Amino acid sequence: MSIEVKNITKLYKDQKALNNVSFKVKDAEIVGFLGPNGAGKSTMMKILTTYIKADEGSASVNNFDVDTEKKEVQTSVGYLPEHNPLYTDLYVKEYLNFNANVYGTPKSRIEEVIELTGLKPEAHKKISQLSKGYRQRVGLANALLHNPDVLILDEPTTGLDPNQLIDIRNLIKSIGKEKTVFLSTHIMQEVEAMCDRVIIINKGEVVADKYLKDLRDGQEQIVIVEFDYRVEDAFILKLPKVKSVKNTYGFVYEITFSTKEDMRSHVFDFAHDNDLKILQLNQKNASLESLFQELTK
Ligand code: ADP
């Protein structure tokens, strides 16, 4: 088992940040730890990476106990904290070299992680010269230096622009093919884009633990479409299996269909038949969205 958490409670003075939390993460899963700000996500991650101690309960990473086998846990886990602390005056290679020395990692691994995280084109630069997306890659390269089995990533996509977001999501997904990834986020779409499974936490308690595949098997989906012109709701309601339609802003419409069949091609045909152009077309998981809202409101 990659991560095992049993009845963890953590107090800051008299405030309970985590209350009797239990879950397990199997090998080579990408699990999203989803919850609103202040839910306890960072606290859980700091316990799993041995930075802080829980008040009650036990936890293990790679079958090593976070209290009694700290060193083994630290060599098993790569951690990207929320505010990725980088020495911005250093060059990328200097920074990785410095940390490789700390870990006692062979120098050849530096080139490997640069390759793995797509850092090569920027590897000769100073960290201060890098975009936020490339700085995240440096953070990921650093977390991967000692070739850990488990990666713990605290809000890894926060603050990225849309292109950087897609690149970093893809990178995390490809890393997740070989390693266990446990990542936190307060954004539901991040879970949909990257994860096999979601654990939802609210006010320090786990309120749901589900495989995305099971949620996707639900009977509803939302298609978000932007046309180049206004369309009457009544017109859109003529599409097959439409449950409801909402004009969210401008010419953007959120259409809920009561079927699990992918309805995007129907929306595309609808636009084509009515001489409309599509400026964006996305599918959202209605079940995950409603589950998250219901459980965290
Ligand atoms: P999240 O990562 O989900 O935003 P955190 O784990 O950072 O949540 O915080 C959970 C709760 O614990 C919040 O109410 C937060 O204010 C509180 N908290 C976190 N760290 C500390 C700390 N070092 N001292 C006191 N309270 C803290």
Side-chain angles (χ1 to χ4, degrees):
M1 198 63 67
S2 282
I3 298 175
E4 193 158 6
V5 172
K6 276 193 214 152
N7 310 105
I8 288 276
T9 293
K10 171 73 190 173
L11 290 142
Y12 293 112
K13 297 221 172 78
D14 50 3
Q15 190 201 351
K16 253 187 197 168
L18 294 172
N19 187 12
N20 200 24
V21 170
S22 301
F23 61 87
K24 288 178 189 176
V25 177
K26 285 187 263 179
D27 297 346
E29 272 190 318
I30 305 187
V31 176
F33 198 39
L34 176 67
N37 286 326
K41 304 183 293 295
S42 297
T43 300
M44 189 71 246
M45 292 187 150
K46 287 178 198 161
I47 292 170
L48 291 173
T49 49
T50 75
Y51 279 86
I52 60 173
K53 272 177 76 108
D55 293 296
E56 283 169 39
S58 63
S60 65
V61 177
N62 231 7
N63 304 315
F64 297 116
D65 187 278
V66 295
D67 283 330
T68 58
E69 294 166 302
K70 269 190 176 184
K71 268 265 153 301
E72 290 82 355
V73 170
Q74 287 160 6
T75 49
S76 299
V77 65
Y79 177 41
L80 179 64
E82 185 176 1
H83 303 288
N84 179 12
L86 295 169
Y87 298 105
T88 49
D89 282 340
L90 294 186
Y91 288 86
V92 172
K93 282 195 184 166
E94 282 177 343
Y95 176 71
L96 293 174
N97 202 21
F98 175 82
N99 286 323
N101 282 337
V102 173
Y103 289 128
T105 311
K107 292 279 183 290
S108 58
R109 180 69 183 157
I110 295 173
E111 289 306 323
E112 263 176 49
V113 295
I114 286 177
E115 193 69 49
L116 204 67
T117 53
L119 261 176
K120 207 153 195 173
E122 305 283 293
H124 60 285
K125 289 191 183 165
K126 252 191 184 177
I127 293 174
S128 59
Q129 296 173 296
L130 300 181
S131 65
K132 177 102 203 294
Y134 271 93
R135 286 181 193 205
Q136 279 308 70
R137 286 173 198 259
V138 176
L140 283 167
N142 185 48
L144 287 164
L145 262 181
H146 56 301
N147 207 2
D149 292 323
V150 181
L151 275 186
I152 293 188
L153 313 176
D154 199 352
E155 305 261 356
T157 54
T158 300
L160 300 180
D161 73 30
N163 288 329
Q164 296 167 345
L165 192 69
I166 291 168
D167 289 347
I168 296 295
R169 281 176 179 173
N170 286 340
L171 178 56
I172 291 172
K173 271 201 283 194
S174 77
I175 294 170
K177 287 189 186 131
E178 287 176 18
K179 298 186 184 291
T180 305
V181 179
F182 184 59
L183 67 91
S184 74
T185 176
H186 59 278
I187 305 163
M188 203 186 46
Q189 286 83 351
E190 292 302 284
V191 172
E192 290 200 82
M194 288 183 279
C195 302
D196 306 313
R197 188 174 138 212
V198 61
I199 297 173
I200 303 182
I201 180 168
N202 191 40
K203 296 184 184 143
E205 295 187 13
V206 169
V207 290
D209 183 344
K210 302 229 177 248
Y211 281 91
L212 276 265
K213 136 174 102 43
D214 294 339
L215 285 169
R216 283 194 192 105
D217 283 345
Q219 292 297 326
E220 267 188 22
Q221 78 184 280
I222 298 172
V223 172
I224 298 157
V225 59
E226 182 175 9
F227 298 116
D228 63 338
Y229 206 75
R230 220 193 117 58
V231 186
E232 290 302 324
D233 288 2
F235 212 46
I236 295 176
L237 284 167
K238 287 184 183 154
L239 273 159
K241 296 175 189 157
V242 177
K243 193 175 157 210
S244 62
V245 58
K246 192 165 80 190
N247 182 203
T248 47
Y249 61 89
F251 304 142
V252 179
Y253 298 85
E254 223 179 79
I255 312 172
T256 306
F257 291 96
S258 34
T259 173
K260 56 185 177 188
E261 177 202 347
D262 187 345
M263 295 304 283
R264 282 175 299 179
S265 61
H266 292 268
V267 176
F268 189 83
D269 291 343
F270 168 84
H272 180 261
D273 294 346
N274 293 288
D275 273 339
L276 291 161
K277 288 199 174 68
I278 289 185
L279 304 180
Q280 60 155 318
L281 183 61
N282 292 306
Q283 193 189 26
K284 252 194 338 189
N285 188 328
S287 343
L288 180 56
E289 175 150 312
S290 46
L291 182 70
F292 183 53
Q293 279 168 358
E294 210 173 287
L295 294 173
T296 61
K297 71 181 165 215

